[in-house]
PDB file of all heavy atoms in Angstrom:
ATOM      1  N   ASN A 135      11.675  -0.263  -0.188  1.00 97.00           N
ATOM      2  CA  ASN A 135      11.682  -1.194   0.934  1.00 97.00           C
ATOM      3  C   ASN A 135      10.248  -1.448   1.409  1.00 97.00           C
ATOM      4  O   ASN A 135       9.294  -0.836   0.914  1.00 97.00           O
ATOM      5  CB  ASN A 135      12.557  -0.670   2.081  1.00 97.00           C
ATOM      6  CG  ASN A 135      12.148   0.734   2.514  1.00 97.00           C
ATOM      7  OD1 ASN A 135      10.970   1.026   2.714  1.00 97.00           O
ATOM      8  ND2 ASN A 135      13.135   1.617   2.665  1.00 97.00           N
ATOM      9  N   ILE A 136      10.100  -2.340   2.367  1.00 97.00           N
ATOM     10  CA  ILE A 136       8.771  -2.715   2.855  1.00 97.00           C
ATOM     11  C   ILE A 136       8.093  -1.537   3.553  1.00 97.00           C
ATOM     12  O   ILE A 136       6.874  -1.351   3.425  1.00 97.00           O
ATOM     13  CB  ILE A 136       8.870  -3.943   3.772  1.00 97.00           C
ATOM     14  CG1 ILE A 136       9.221  -5.174   2.929  1.00 97.00           C
ATOM     15  CG2 ILE A 136       7.566  -4.179   4.530  1.00 97.00           C
ATOM     16  CD1 ILE A 136       9.506  -6.430   3.712  1.00 97.00           C
ATOM     17  N   ASN A 137       8.858  -0.716   4.225  1.00 97.00           N
ATOM     18  CA  ASN A 137       8.261   0.449   4.881  1.00 97.00           C
ATOM     19  C   ASN A 137       7.635   1.397   3.855  1.00 97.00           C
ATOM     20  O   ASN A 137       6.579   1.991   4.109  1.00 97.00           O
ATOM     21  CB  ASN A 137       9.309   1.194   5.708  1.00 97.00           C
ATOM     22  CG  ASN A 137       8.682   2.284   6.566  1.00 97.00           C
ATOM     23  OD1 ASN A 137       7.858   2.016   7.433  1.00 97.00           O
ATOM     24  ND2 ASN A 137       9.059   3.533   6.300  1.00 97.00           N
ATOM     25  N   ASP A 138       8.262   1.524   2.683  1.00 97.00           N
ATOM     26  CA  ASP A 138       7.678   2.337   1.613  1.00 97.00           C
ATOM     27  C   ASP A 138       6.315   1.794   1.205  1.00 97.00           C
ATOM     28  O   ASP A 138       5.366   2.546   0.967  1.00 97.00           O
ATOM     29  CB  ASP A 138       8.591   2.351   0.386  1.00 97.00           C
ATOM     30  CG  ASP A 138       9.823   3.203   0.572  1.00 97.00           C
ATOM     31  OD1 ASP A 138       9.886   3.973   1.549  1.00 97.00           O
ATOM     32  OD2 ASP A 138      10.746   3.099  -0.266  1.00 97.00           O
ATOM     33  N   ILE A 139       6.227   0.457   1.111  1.00 97.00           N
ATOM     34  CA  ILE A 139       4.956  -0.185   0.758  1.00 97.00           C
ATOM     35  C   ILE A 139       3.893   0.166   1.795  1.00 97.00           C
ATOM     36  O   ILE A 139       2.771   0.550   1.450  1.00 97.00           O
ATOM     37  CB  ILE A 139       5.123  -1.710   0.653  1.00 97.00           C
ATOM     38  CG1 ILE A 139       5.986  -2.067  -0.563  1.00 97.00           C
ATOM     39  CG2 ILE A 139       3.770  -2.415   0.574  1.00 97.00           C
ATOM     40  CD1 ILE A 139       6.299  -3.552  -0.684  1.00 97.00           C
ATOM     41  N   LEU A 140       4.254   0.036   3.057  1.00 97.00           N
ATOM     42  CA  LEU A 140       3.294   0.296   4.128  1.00 97.00           C
ATOM     43  C   LEU A 140       2.845   1.748   4.141  1.00 97.00           C
ATOM     44  O   LEU A 140       1.653   2.052   4.325  1.00 97.00           O
ATOM     45  CB  LEU A 140       3.904  -0.093   5.477  1.00 97.00           C
ATOM     46  CG  LEU A 140       4.378  -1.554   5.601  1.00 97.00           C
ATOM     47  CD1 LEU A 140       4.929  -1.816   6.995  1.00 97.00           C
ATOM     48  CD2 LEU A 140       3.256  -2.526   5.273  1.00 97.00           C
ATOM     49  N   GLU A 141       3.787   2.651   3.948  1.00 96.00           N
ATOM     50  CA  GLU A 141       3.438   4.070   3.917  1.00 96.00           C
ATOM     51  C   GLU A 141       2.526   4.393   2.738  1.00 96.00           C
ATOM     52  O   GLU A 141       1.589   5.188   2.850  1.00 96.00           O
ATOM     53  CB  GLU A 141       4.713   4.923   3.845  1.00 96.00           C
ATOM     54  CG  GLU A 141       5.485   4.981   5.154  1.00 96.00           C
ATOM     55  CD  GLU A 141       4.655   5.591   6.284  1.00 96.00           C
ATOM     56  OE1 GLU A 141       3.990   6.630   6.039  1.00 96.00           O
ATOM     57  OE2 GLU A 141       4.659   5.037   7.394  1.00 96.00           O
ATOM     58  N   ARG A 142       2.803   3.767   1.582  1.00 96.00           N
ATOM     59  CA  ARG A 142       1.973   3.998   0.410  1.00 96.00           C
ATOM     60  C   ARG A 142       0.549   3.486   0.631  1.00 96.00           C
ATOM     61  O   ARG A 142      -0.434   4.128   0.235  1.00 96.00           O
ATOM     62  CB  ARG A 142       2.606   3.312  -0.804  1.00 96.00           C
ATOM     63  CG  ARG A 142       1.944   3.636  -2.135  1.00 96.00           C
ATOM     64  CD  ARG A 142       2.117   5.090  -2.548  1.00 96.00           C
ATOM     65  NE  ARG A 142       3.506   5.497  -2.523  1.00 96.00           N
ATOM     66  CZ  ARG A 142       4.384   5.249  -3.506  1.00 96.00           C
ATOM     67  NH1 ARG A 142       3.997   4.592  -4.570  1.00 96.00           N
ATOM     68  NH2 ARG A 142       5.626   5.660  -3.416  1.00 96.00           N
ATOM     69  N   LEU A 143       0.420   2.321   1.262  1.00 97.00           N
ATOM     70  CA  LEU A 143      -0.899   1.765   1.557  1.00 97.00           C
ATOM     71  C   LEU A 143      -1.676   2.664   2.522  1.00 97.00           C
ATOM     72  O   LEU A 143      -2.862   2.951   2.327  1.00 97.00           O
ATOM     73  CB  LEU A 143      -0.764   0.365   2.141  1.00 97.00           C
ATOM     74  CG  LEU A 143      -0.278  -0.739   1.207  1.00 97.00           C
ATOM     75  CD1 LEU A 143       0.034  -2.003   1.995  1.00 97.00           C
ATOM     76  CD2 LEU A 143      -1.313  -1.029   0.125  1.00 97.00           C
ATOM     77  N   LYS A 144      -0.985   3.121   3.554  1.00 95.00           N
ATOM     78  CA  LYS A 144      -1.619   4.003   4.539  1.00 95.00           C
ATOM     79  C   LYS A 144      -2.080   5.302   3.879  1.00 95.00           C
ATOM     80  O   LYS A 144      -3.200   5.785   4.109  1.00 95.00           O
ATOM     81  CB  LYS A 144      -0.620   4.298   5.661  1.00 95.00           C
ATOM     82  CG  LYS A 144      -1.167   5.199   6.770  1.00 95.00           C
ATOM     83  CD  LYS A 144      -0.083   5.431   7.831  1.00 95.00           C
ATOM     84  CE  LYS A 144      -0.598   6.376   8.924  1.00 95.00           C
ATOM     85  NZ  LYS A 144       0.460   6.639   9.931  1.00 95.00           N
ATOM     86  N   GLN A 145      -1.219   5.857   3.044  1.00 95.00           N
ATOM     87  CA  GLN A 145      -1.528   7.093   2.339  1.00 95.00           C
ATOM     88  C   GLN A 145      -2.732   6.904   1.413  1.00 95.00           C
ATOM     89  O   GLN A 145      -3.616   7.768   1.333  1.00 95.00           O
ATOM     90  CB  GLN A 145      -0.304   7.533   1.532  1.00 95.00           C
ATOM     91  CG  GLN A 145      -0.474   8.816   0.759  1.00 95.00           C
ATOM     92  CD  GLN A 145       0.764   9.154  -0.073  1.00 95.00           C
ATOM     93  OE1 GLN A 145       1.625   8.293  -0.305  1.00 95.00           O
ATOM     94  NE2 GLN A 145       0.859  10.375  -0.521  1.00 95.00           N
ATOM     95  N   TYR A 146      -2.780   5.782   0.727  1.00 95.00           N
ATOM     96  CA  TYR A 146      -3.873   5.487  -0.205  1.00 95.00           C
ATOM     97  C   TYR A 146      -5.217   5.429   0.532  1.00 95.00           C
ATOM     98  O   TYR A 146      -6.209   6.000   0.081  1.00 95.00           O
ATOM     99  CB  TYR A 146      -3.593   4.171  -0.922  1.00 95.00           C
ATOM    100  CG  TYR A 146      -4.619   3.798  -1.971  1.00 95.00           C
ATOM    101  CD1 TYR A 146      -4.574   4.359  -3.248  1.00 95.00           C
ATOM    102  CD2 TYR A 146      -5.622   2.865  -1.692  1.00 95.00           C
ATOM    103  CE1 TYR A 146      -5.503   4.005  -4.217  1.00 95.00           C
ATOM    104  CE2 TYR A 146      -6.557   2.510  -2.652  1.00 95.00           C
ATOM    105  CZ  TYR A 146      -6.491   3.078  -3.914  1.00 95.00           C
ATOM    106  OH  TYR A 146      -7.418   2.730  -4.863  1.00 95.00           O
ATOM    107  N   LYS A 147      -5.235   4.748   1.669  1.00 95.00           N
ATOM    108  CA  LYS A 147      -6.475   4.647   2.453  1.00 95.00           C
ATOM    109  C   LYS A 147      -6.957   6.035   2.879  1.00 95.00           C
ATOM    110  O   LYS A 147      -8.161   6.338   2.800  1.00 95.00           O
ATOM    111  CB  LYS A 147      -6.254   3.763   3.682  1.00 95.00           C
ATOM    112  CG  LYS A 147      -7.482   3.677   4.614  1.00 95.00           C
ATOM    113  CD  LYS A 147      -7.182   2.768   5.818  1.00 95.00           C
ATOM    114  CE  LYS A 147      -8.253   2.926   6.897  1.00 95.00           C
ATOM    115  NZ  LYS A 147      -9.500   2.240   6.562  1.00 95.00           N
ATOM    116  N   GLU A 148      -6.021   6.872   3.291  1.00 95.00           N
ATOM    117  CA  GLU A 148      -6.391   8.211   3.761  1.00 95.00           C
ATOM    118  C   GLU A 148      -6.856   9.096   2.606  1.00 95.00           C
ATOM    119  O   GLU A 148      -7.890   9.776   2.706  1.00 95.00           O
ATOM    120  CB  GLU A 148      -5.204   8.847   4.480  1.00 95.00           C
ATOM    121  CG  GLU A 148      -4.842   8.154   5.790  1.00 95.00           C
ATOM    122  CD  GLU A 148      -3.542   8.672   6.383  1.00 95.00           C
ATOM    123  OE1 GLU A 148      -2.847   9.469   5.692  1.00 95.00           O
ATOM    124  OE2 GLU A 148      -3.205   8.275   7.515  1.00 95.00           O
ATOM    125  N   GLU A 149      -6.102   9.093   1.509  1.00 93.00           N
ATOM    126  CA  GLU A 149      -6.424   9.982   0.395  1.00 93.00           C
ATOM    127  C   GLU A 149      -7.722   9.595  -0.295  1.00 93.00           C
ATOM    128  O   GLU A 149      -8.462  10.459  -0.780  1.00 93.00           O
ATOM    129  CB  GLU A 149      -5.271   9.990  -0.615  1.00 93.00           C
ATOM    130  CG  GLU A 149      -4.018  10.682  -0.101  1.00 93.00           C
ATOM    131  CD  GLU A 149      -2.886  10.648  -1.111  1.00 93.00           C
ATOM    132  OE1 GLU A 149      -3.027   9.936  -2.134  1.00 93.00           O
ATOM    133  OE2 GLU A 149      -1.875  11.330  -0.879  1.00 93.00           O
ATOM    134  N   GLU A 150      -7.985   8.284  -0.363  1.00 92.00           N
ATOM    135  CA  GLU A 150      -9.193   7.812  -1.045  1.00 92.00           C
ATOM    136  C   GLU A 150     -10.381   7.670  -0.097  1.00 92.00           C
ATOM    137  O   GLU A 150     -11.462   7.230  -0.519  1.00 92.00           O
ATOM    138  CB  GLU A 150      -8.911   6.471  -1.734  1.00 92.00           C
ATOM    139  CG  GLU A 150      -7.813   6.521  -2.781  1.00 92.00           C
ATOM    140  CD  GLU A 150      -8.165   7.418  -3.954  1.00 92.00           C
ATOM    141  OE1 GLU A 150      -9.348   7.438  -4.334  1.00 92.00           O
ATOM    142  OE2 GLU A 150      -7.254   8.099  -4.480  1.00 92.00           O
ATOM    143  N   ASN A 151     -10.162   8.007   1.186  1.00 94.00           N
ATOM    144  CA  ASN A 151     -11.229   7.914   2.197  1.00 94.00           C
ATOM    145  C   ASN A 151     -11.874   6.527   2.217  1.00 94.00           C
ATOM    146  O   ASN A 151     -13.105   6.384   2.202  1.00 94.00           O
ATOM    147  CB  ASN A 151     -12.306   8.977   1.939  1.00 94.00           C
ATOM    148  CG  ASN A 151     -11.779  10.387   2.122  1.00 94.00           C
ATOM    149  OD1 ASN A 151     -11.083  10.673   3.100  1.00 94.00           O
ATOM    150  ND2 ASN A 151     -12.091  11.262   1.183  1.00 94.00           N
ATOM    151  N   ILE A 152     -11.033   5.504   2.244  1.00 94.00           N
ATOM    152  CA  ILE A 152     -11.518   4.127   2.226  1.00 94.00           C
ATOM    153  C   ILE A 152     -11.905   3.713   3.644  1.00 94.00           C
ATOM    154  O   ILE A 152     -11.068   3.738   4.558  1.00 94.00           O
ATOM    155  CB  ILE A 152     -10.443   3.175   1.658  1.00 94.00           C
ATOM    156  CG1 ILE A 152     -10.153   3.559   0.198  1.00 94.00           C
ATOM    157  CG2 ILE A 152     -10.891   1.723   1.742  1.00 94.00           C
ATOM    158  CD1 ILE A 152      -9.010   2.798  -0.425  1.00 94.00           C
ATOM    159  N   PRO A 153     -13.151   3.342   3.849  1.00 96.00           N
ATOM    160  CA  PRO A 153     -13.589   2.986   5.205  1.00 96.00           C
ATOM    161  C   PRO A 153     -13.056   1.625   5.637  1.00 96.00           C
ATOM    162  O   PRO A 153     -12.645   0.806   4.806  1.00 96.00           O
ATOM    163  CB  PRO A 153     -15.114   2.946   5.081  1.00 96.00           C
ATOM    164  CG  PRO A 153     -15.359   2.602   3.646  1.00 96.00           C
ATOM    165  CD  PRO A 153     -14.252   3.254   2.867  1.00 96.00           C
ATOM    166  N   ASP A 154     -13.039   1.386   6.925  1.00 97.00           N
ATOM    167  CA  ASP A 154     -12.686   0.071   7.439  1.00 97.00           C
ATOM    168  C   ASP A 154     -13.612  -0.976   6.823  1.00 97.00           C
ATOM    169  O   ASP A 154     -14.804  -0.713   6.602  1.00 97.00           O
ATOM    170  CB  ASP A 154     -12.814   0.038   8.964  1.00 97.00           C
ATOM    171  CG  ASP A 154     -11.728   0.834   9.664  1.00 97.00           C
ATOM    172  OD1 ASP A 154     -10.782   1.282   8.976  1.00 97.00           O
ATOM    173  OD2 ASP A 154     -11.830   1.031  10.890  1.00 97.00           O
ATOM    174  N   GLY A 155     -13.066  -2.137   6.587  1.00 96.00           N
ATOM    175  CA  GLY A 155     -13.857  -3.229   6.036  1.00 96.00           C
ATOM    176  C   GLY A 155     -13.826  -3.321   4.527  1.00 96.00           C
ATOM    177  O   GLY A 155     -14.148  -4.371   3.958  1.00 96.00           O
ATOM    178  N   GLU A 156     -13.429  -2.231   3.849  1.00 95.00           N
ATOM    179  CA  GLU A 156     -13.386  -2.254   2.383  1.00 95.00           C
ATOM    180  C   GLU A 156     -12.036  -2.778   1.911  1.00 95.00           C
ATOM    181  O   GLU A 156     -10.993  -2.490   2.496  1.00 95.00           O
ATOM    182  CB  GLU A 156     -13.627  -0.853   1.830  1.00 95.00           C
ATOM    183  CG  GLU A 156     -13.788  -0.807   0.315  1.00 95.00           C
ATOM    184  CD  GLU A 156     -14.253   0.536  -0.182  1.00 95.00           C
ATOM    185  OE1 GLU A 156     -15.198   1.094   0.430  1.00 95.00           O
ATOM    186  OE2 GLU A 156     -13.674   1.035  -1.162  1.00 95.00           O
ATOM    187  N   TRP A 157     -12.052  -3.536   0.795  1.00 96.00           N
ATOM    188  CA  TRP A 157     -10.819  -4.128   0.261  1.00 96.00           C
ATOM    189  C   TRP A 157      -9.893  -3.053  -0.307  1.00 96.00           C
ATOM    190  O   TRP A 157     -10.341  -2.074  -0.906  1.00 96.00           O
ATOM    191  CB  TRP A 157     -11.148  -5.139  -0.835  1.00 96.00           C
ATOM    192  CG  TRP A 157     -11.569  -6.484  -0.308  1.00 96.00           C
ATOM    193  CD1 TRP A 157     -12.797  -6.824   0.167  1.00 96.00           C
ATOM    194  CD2 TRP A 157     -10.737  -7.644  -0.209  1.00 96.00           C
ATOM    195  NE1 TRP A 157     -12.795  -8.149   0.569  1.00 96.00           N
ATOM    196  CE2 TRP A 157     -11.545  -8.676   0.341  1.00 96.00           C
ATOM    197  CE3 TRP A 157      -9.417  -7.932  -0.517  1.00 96.00           C
ATOM    198  CZ2 TRP A 157     -11.062  -9.957   0.585  1.00 96.00           C
ATOM    199  CZ3 TRP A 157      -8.933  -9.209  -0.292  1.00 96.00           C
ATOM    200  CH2 TRP A 157      -9.741 -10.209   0.265  1.00 96.00           C
ATOM    201  N   ILE A 158      -8.593  -3.300  -0.144  1.00 96.00           N
ATOM    202  CA  ILE A 158      -7.557  -2.476  -0.755  1.00 96.00           C
ATOM    203  C   ILE A 158      -6.632  -3.399  -1.538  1.00 96.00           C
ATOM    204  O   ILE A 158      -6.168  -4.419  -1.016  1.00 96.00           O
ATOM    205  CB  ILE A 158      -6.762  -1.686   0.309  1.00 96.00           C
ATOM    206  CG1 ILE A 158      -7.679  -0.662   0.984  1.00 96.00           C
ATOM    207  CG2 ILE A 158      -5.555  -0.991  -0.322  1.00 96.00           C
ATOM    208  CD1 ILE A 158      -7.012   0.088   2.125  1.00 96.00           C
ATOM    209  N   PHE A 159      -6.373  -3.038  -2.806  1.00 96.00           N
ATOM    210  CA  PHE A 159      -5.513  -3.848  -3.667  1.00 96.00           C
ATOM    211  C   PHE A 159      -4.296  -3.033  -4.094  1.00 96.00           C
ATOM    212  O   PHE A 159      -4.389  -1.836  -4.370  1.00 96.00           O
ATOM    213  CB  PHE A 159      -6.279  -4.310  -4.910  1.00 96.00           C
ATOM    214  CG  PHE A 159      -7.506  -5.118  -4.607  1.00 96.00           C
ATOM    215  CD1 PHE A 159      -8.771  -4.574  -4.745  1.00 96.00           C
ATOM    216  CD2 PHE A 159      -7.393  -6.438  -4.180  1.00 96.00           C
ATOM    217  CE1 PHE A 159      -9.903  -5.317  -4.470  1.00 96.00           C
ATOM    218  CE2 PHE A 159      -8.516  -7.193  -3.890  1.00 96.00           C
ATOM    219  CZ  PHE A 159      -9.779  -6.632  -4.040  1.00 96.00           C
ATOM    220  N   GLY A 160      -3.153  -3.694  -4.148  1.00 95.00           N
ATOM    221  CA  GLY A 160      -1.936  -3.064  -4.630  1.00 95.00           C
ATOM    222  C   GLY A 160      -1.307  -3.932  -5.705  1.00 95.00           C
ATOM    223  O   GLY A 160      -1.575  -5.132  -5.786  1.00 95.00           O
ATOM    224  N   TRP A 161      -0.455  -3.348  -6.531  1.00 92.00           N
ATOM    225  CA  TRP A 161       0.163  -4.128  -7.615  1.00 92.00           C
ATOM    226  C   TRP A 161       1.611  -3.684  -7.827  1.00 92.00           C
ATOM    227  O   TRP A 161       1.977  -2.555  -7.560  1.00 92.00           O
ATOM    228  CB  TRP A 161      -0.604  -3.949  -8.925  1.00 92.00           C
ATOM    229  CG  TRP A 161      -0.467  -2.580  -9.539  1.00 92.00           C
ATOM    230  CD1 TRP A 161      -1.089  -1.435  -9.130  1.00 92.00           C
ATOM    231  CD2 TRP A 161       0.367  -2.196 -10.645  1.00 92.00           C
ATOM    232  NE1 TRP A 161      -0.712  -0.373  -9.917  1.00 92.00           N
ATOM    233  CE2 TRP A 161       0.167  -0.803 -10.859  1.00 92.00           C
ATOM    234  CE3 TRP A 161       1.242  -2.887 -11.483  1.00 92.00           C
ATOM    235  CZ2 TRP A 161       0.828  -0.099 -11.869  1.00 92.00           C
ATOM    236  CZ3 TRP A 161       1.898  -2.184 -12.500  1.00 92.00           C
ATOM    237  CH2 TRP A 161       1.686  -0.813 -12.677  1.00 92.00           C
ATOM    238  N   GLY A 162       2.438  -4.639  -8.263  1.00 92.00           N
ATOM    239  CA  GLY A 162       3.758  -4.312  -8.774  1.00 92.00           C
ATOM    240  C   GLY A 162       4.924  -4.435  -7.815  1.00 92.00           C
ATOM    241  O   GLY A 162       6.067  -4.179  -8.209  1.00 92.00           O
ATOM    242  N   TYR A 163       4.695  -4.844  -6.542  1.00 96.00           N
ATOM    243  CA  TYR A 163       5.863  -4.941  -5.649  1.00 96.00           C
ATOM    244  C   TYR A 163       6.786  -6.062  -6.133  1.00 96.00           C
ATOM    245  O   TYR A 163       6.344  -7.059  -6.713  1.00 96.00           O
ATOM    246  CB  TYR A 163       5.433  -5.166  -4.199  1.00 96.00           C
ATOM    247  CG  TYR A 163       5.216  -6.617  -3.815  1.00 96.00           C
ATOM    248  CD1 TYR A 163       6.279  -7.406  -3.343  1.00 96.00           C
ATOM    249  CD2 TYR A 163       3.964  -7.213  -3.935  1.00 96.00           C
ATOM    250  CE1 TYR A 163       6.086  -8.728  -3.006  1.00 96.00           C
ATOM    251  CE2 TYR A 163       3.769  -8.537  -3.598  1.00 96.00           C
ATOM    252  CZ  TYR A 163       4.841  -9.297  -3.134  1.00 96.00           C
ATOM    253  OH  TYR A 163       4.656 -10.626  -2.813  1.00 96.00           O
ATOM    254  N   ASP A 164       8.059  -5.885  -5.917  1.00 94.00           N
ATOM    255  CA  ASP A 164       9.069  -6.858  -6.367  1.00 94.00           C
ATOM    256  C   ASP A 164      10.018  -7.123  -5.204  1.00 94.00           C
ATOM    257  O   ASP A 164      10.840  -6.277  -4.858  1.00 94.00           O
ATOM    258  CB  ASP A 164       9.834  -6.293  -7.560  1.00 94.00           C
ATOM    259  CG  ASP A 164      10.816  -7.284  -8.177  1.00 94.00           C
ATOM    260  OD1 ASP A 164      11.086  -8.332  -7.556  1.00 94.00           O
ATOM    261  OD2 ASP A 164      11.320  -7.007  -9.282  1.00 94.00           O
ATOM    262  N   ASP A 165       9.893  -8.302  -4.603  1.00 94.00           N
ATOM    263  CA  ASP A 165      10.726  -8.619  -3.437  1.00 94.00           C
ATOM    264  C   ASP A 165      12.210  -8.521  -3.748  1.00 94.00           C
ATOM    265  O   ASP A 165      13.017  -8.145  -2.889  1.00 94.00           O
ATOM    266  CB  ASP A 165      10.388 -10.015  -2.903  1.00 94.00           C
ATOM    267  CG  ASP A 165      10.573 -11.099  -3.944  1.00 94.00           C
ATOM    268  OD1 ASP A 165       9.912 -11.020  -5.014  1.00 94.00           O
ATOM    269  OD2 ASP A 165      11.366 -12.027  -3.717  1.00 94.00           O
ATOM    270  N   GLY A 166      12.594  -8.841  -4.997  1.00 90.00           N
ATOM    271  CA  GLY A 166      14.002  -8.791  -5.369  1.00 90.00           C
ATOM    272  C   GLY A 166      14.570  -7.389  -5.402  1.00 90.00           C
ATOM    273  O   GLY A 166      15.788  -7.207  -5.340  1.00 90.00           O
ATOM    274  N   GLN A 167      13.703  -6.381  -5.494  1.00 93.00           N
ATOM    275  CA  GLN A 167      14.160  -4.991  -5.535  1.00 93.00           C
ATOM    276  C   GLN A 167      13.972  -4.269  -4.203  1.00 93.00           C
ATOM    277  O   GLN A 167      14.284  -3.081  -4.095  1.00 93.00           O
ATOM    278  CB  GLN A 167      13.411  -4.242  -6.635  1.00 93.00           C
ATOM    279  CG  GLN A 167      13.645  -4.792  -8.029  1.00 93.00           C
ATOM    280  CD  GLN A 167      15.119  -4.848  -8.394  1.00 93.00           C
ATOM    281  OE1 GLN A 167      15.861  -3.900  -8.171  1.00 93.00           O
ATOM    282  NE2 GLN A 167      15.545  -5.974  -8.946  1.00 93.00           N
ATOM    283  N   LEU A 168      13.452  -4.975  -3.192  1.00 96.00           N
ATOM    284  CA  LEU A 168      13.291  -4.374  -1.874  1.00 96.00           C
ATOM    285  C   LEU A 168      14.578  -4.530  -1.072  1.00 96.00           C
ATOM    286  O   LEU A 168      15.298  -5.519  -1.221  1.00 96.00           O
ATOM    287  CB  LEU A 168      12.132  -5.044  -1.122  1.00 96.00           C
ATOM    288  CG  LEU A 168      10.741  -4.953  -1.771  1.00 96.00           C
ATOM    289  CD1 LEU A 168       9.724  -5.709  -0.928  1.00 96.00           C
ATOM    290  CD2 LEU A 168      10.323  -3.502  -1.961  1.00 96.00           C
ATOM    291  N   ALA A 169      14.853  -3.576  -0.223  1.00 96.00           N
ATOM    292  CA  ALA A 169      16.079  -3.621   0.580  1.00 96.00           C
ATOM    293  C   ALA A 169      16.150  -4.885   1.431  1.00 96.00           C
ATOM    294  O   ALA A 169      17.228  -5.449   1.650  1.00 96.00           O
ATOM    295  CB  ALA A 169      16.154  -2.377   1.469  1.00 96.00           C
ATOM    296  N   GLU A 170      14.969  -5.354   1.893  1.00 96.00           N
ATOM    297  CA  GLU A 170      14.930  -6.533   2.772  1.00 96.00           C
ATOM    298  C   GLU A 170      15.092  -7.843   2.009  1.00 96.00           C
ATOM    299  O   GLU A 170      15.308  -8.902   2.610  1.00 96.00           O
ATOM    300  CB  GLU A 170      13.597  -6.569   3.531  1.00 96.00           C
ATOM    301  CG  GLU A 170      13.379  -5.407   4.482  1.00 96.00           C
ATOM    302  CD  GLU A 170      12.800  -4.187   3.795  1.00 96.00           C
ATOM    303  OE1 GLU A 170      12.676  -4.193   2.532  1.00 96.00           O
ATOM    304  OE2 GLU A 170      12.467  -3.218   4.493  1.00 96.00           O
TER     305      GLU A 170
END
C-alpha cells in the first residue's frame, strides 16, 4: 500500500544518512497492486 511506500522512503533516508536537499529516487511501484 501507499503507507508501505512512505515508510520505505523514510527508512531509506535515515539508513543512508541522506541530508535535506539531496534527491531520492525509487523504482518499481505498481498502482494496480496497491491496496488503494
